């Protein structure tokens, strides 16, 4: 997804897969994954926790009962808050992942002002070295490079994530059921993930390009400049790069996320009931 959005010469999805495998073998598909894997638990806990607690607070303020069914407005506001909070945690993680994935991307344009490092050669030895290098060269603002684009992606993205999940889960759950079946949760979560990534892909392209910028070159002055340059050089179609990959991967990952979340809540509520009958 990152190579398609921010790289050059990869073409379509199949060509990208073959190129990465031919040039970097299987390890190329796992570059930059250690940092996201180490932080995904914290990130997801914060996002889901902020969303659910904001919903409960709004229900308490509106209806006097935190357990009351949230309205569409409540879900929208809770999604917006979750999206804003997620940027603070997610931006450094995404930045490190993208920098590690893109450090072998060759730059061939003569008008690109390159740094001292030879394009295509590794700049970072790993996620910690990448993070330390960015801090040393760019400071705290460098760690949050692309935060505006990420905010524009995640705020509407989480609205298109939590709201479709709640609506679709309610739609496929039989009337009269106390709680949705695990399969219903899995399907609703998968649909929500696919919808969310389809909505977010245009801004995700911009975010990926801004965060990849800086490994060897400094082309973009900001989010608007990245949008204008990308459109002028490659047309409107550039903002839909990686759409297929995002949508396909969004289904299973979000399905597993929502299923794990809902089953964990049920288990904790059951333990609480047994402890305090």
């Amino acid at each position: 997804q990152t190579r398609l959005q921010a790289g050059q010469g990869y073409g379509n999805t199949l060509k990208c897969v073959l190129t990465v495998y031919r040039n970097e073998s299987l390890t190329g598909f796992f570059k930059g994954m250690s940092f996201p894997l180490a932080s995904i638990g914290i990130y997801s806990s914060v996002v889901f926790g902020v969303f659910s607690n904001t919903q409960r607070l709004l229900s308490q303020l509106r209806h006097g009962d935190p357990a009351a069914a949230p309205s569409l407005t409540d879900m929208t506001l809770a999604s917006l808050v979750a999206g804003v909070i997620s940027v603070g945690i997610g931006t450094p993680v995404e930045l490190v992942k993208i920098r590690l994935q893109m450090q072998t991307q060759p730059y061939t344009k003569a008008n690109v002002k390159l740094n001292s490092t030879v394009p295509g050669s590794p700049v970072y030895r790993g996620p910690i070295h990448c993070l330390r290098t960015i801090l040393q060269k760019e400071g705290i603002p460098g760690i949050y490079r692309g935060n505006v684009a990420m905010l524009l992606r995640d705020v509407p993205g989480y609205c298109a994530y939590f709201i479709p999940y709640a609506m679709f889960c309610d739609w496929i759950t039989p009337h009269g059921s106390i709680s949705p079946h695990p399969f219903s949760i899995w399907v609703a979560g998968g649909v929500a993930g696919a919808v969310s990534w389809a909505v977010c892909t245009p801004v995700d392209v911009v975010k990926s390009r801004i965060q990849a910028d800086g490994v060897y070159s400094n082309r973009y002055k900001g989010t608007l400049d990245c949008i204008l340059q990308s459109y002028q050089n490659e047309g409107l179609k550039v903002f839909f790069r990686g759409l297929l990959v995002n949508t396909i991967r969004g289904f299973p990952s979000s399905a597993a996320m929502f299923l794990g979340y809902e089953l964990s809540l049920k288990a904790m509520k059951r333990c609480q009931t047994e402890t305090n009958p």
Side-chain angles (χ1 to χ4, degrees), residues 39-277:
S39 59
I40 187 64
I42 298 173
Y43 177 82
S44 299
S45 297
V46 170
V47 169
F48 277 82
V50 168
F51 173 76
S52 59
N53 284 307
T54 302
Q55 270 196 157
R56 290 173 62 83
L57 176 62
L58 292 172
S59 295
Q60 175 69 44
L61 293 174
R62 289 176 183 273
H63 311 291
D65 180 12
S71 64
L72 180 60
T73 302
D74 293 344
M75 285 191 288
T76 302
L77 288 173
S79 300
L80 293 175
V81 174
V84 171
I85 297 298
S86 72
V87 174
I89 303 173
T91 302
V93 175
E94 293 262 324
L95 178 68
V96 171
K97 181 193 74 171
I98 287 176
R99 289 288 179 92
L100 290 173
Q101 290 175 339
M102 293 301 296
Q103 66 176 338
T104 54
Q105 163 69 26
Y107 284 80
T108 56
K109 289 189 175 182
N111 61 345
V112 175
K113 185 179 179 181
L114 299 174
N115 295 328
S116 59
T117 308
V118 178
S121 62
V123 178
Y124 313 111
R125 295 191 295 269
I128 302 302
H129 180 252
C130 178
L131 194 63
R132 188 168 62 245
T133 302
I134 295 171
L135 276 171
Q136 290 172 348
K137 292 184 177 180
E138 305 173 50
I140 296 296
I143 290 296
Y144 284 92
R145 187 182 184 90
N147 60 344
V148 174
M150 195 159 178
L151 194 67
L152 294 174
R153 184 195 74 172
D154 284 2
V155 170
Y158 276 115
C159 289
Y161 188 61
F162 288 113
I163 295 174
Y165 167 74
M167 297 177 68
F168 196 75
C169 195
D170 182 66
W171 179 59
I172 62 178
T173 299
H175 182 69
S177 297
I178 299 175
S179 60
H181 189 273
F183 181 73
S184 299
I185 296 171
W186 187 85
V187 173
V191 170
V195 169
S196 178
W197 274 111
V199 169
C200 290
T201 293
V203 184
D204 190 48
V205 171
V206 176
K207 180 204 71 75
S208 295
R209 291 187 162 212
I210 292 174
Q211 292 186 324
D213 191 38
V215 179
Y216 305 113
S217 63
N218 289 284
R219 298 177 58 189
Y220 308 119
K221 299 176 182 177
T223 303
L224 182 59
D225 184 51
C226 180
I227 293 172
L228 293 175
Q229 283 198 48
S230 298
Y231 177 73
Q232 289 170 357
N233 295 332
E234 301 170 67
L236 192 62
K237 65 181 180 180
V238 69
F239 300 109
F240 297 94
R241 281 190 178 183
L243 176 62
L244 179 62
V245 175
N246 277 342
T247 305
I248 291 175
R249 75 162 185 172
F251 190 99
S253 61
S254 296
M257 187 76 71
F258 274 107
L259 184 60
Y261 171 72
E262 295 287 4
L263 293 181
S264 296
L265 279 183
K266 287 182 181 180
M268 287 186 284
K269 288 178 181 178
R270 186 165 56 249
C271 289
Q272 189 177 22
T273 302
E274 292 174 354
T275 306
N276 303 305

